[in-house]
Amino acid sequence: MQHETLSNGAWADMTLAQQMANIGSESYRATKWLAKGRSDNAERAFERMQELVDLTIAYGRRNSPNRYSLLKEICRFRELFCKAFLDSNLTELSALNHYLDHFAKIRA
């Protein structure tokens, strides 16, 4: 795990917007490296993004009344991103990154 400090509780202390913005940073990196043909870097960023998604599923908004909706949305995002990444579909990856851009704007 590359995000060990976050798994010790720091991730759960972040807002959902902060969590999603961090996921977006890694997804953007994965897409950028994939577009440049640097599959080694793309795969590492992809793995880091997956770790952050896992942390969000495990720790994100545990006491929230909307937890089910959150889990449904983050799992659907993961499904779409994984398919697009494995297919090297840069158009779809860009669309998913655009979705995550909204969280970065909320966080700012």
Side-chain angles (χ1 to χ4, degrees):
M1 175 175 267
Q2 295 184 30
H3 295 102
E4 288 187 40
T5 57
L6 294 176
S7 66
N8 293 333
W11 192 253
D13 293 337
M14 291 183 184
T15 67
L16 176 61
Q18 290 171 321
Q19 291 172 348
M20 295 299 284
N22 280 286
I23 290 168
S25 293
E26 295 297 350
S27 72
Y28 177 80
R29 286 184 189 101
T31 303
K32 177 187 77 170
W33 288 120
L34 191 63
K36 290 184 176 190
R38 298 286 307 272
S39 60
D40 52 336
N41 290 355
E43 288 178 22
R44 284 195 298 273
F46 177 75
E47 290 171 7
R48 289 190 304 267
M49 187 213 61
Q50 293 295 341
E51 285 180 6
L52 295 179
V53 169
D54 289 343
L55 288 170
T56 301
I57 291 169
Y59 302 112
R61 315 284 75 84
R62 282 190 177 168
N63 298 321
S64 172
N66 299 325
R67 179 153 169 78
Y68 175 77
S69 296
L70 165 68
L71 292 176
K72 185 176 174 182
E73 185 165 349
I74 192 74
C75 289
R76 180 66 175 147
F77 168 81
R78 180 205 304 261
E79 177 185 351
L80 293 172
F81 194 89
C82 288
K83 180 173 181 356
F85 185 82
L86 293 174
D87 292 343
S88 297
N89 185 337
L90 296 175
T91 303
E92 184 68 19
L93 290 170
S94 294
L96 291 165
N97 284 327
H98 180 70
Y99 163 77
L100 292 171
D101 285 345
H102 297 291
F103 292 100
K105 292 173 186 171
I106 292 170
R107 186 178 122 175

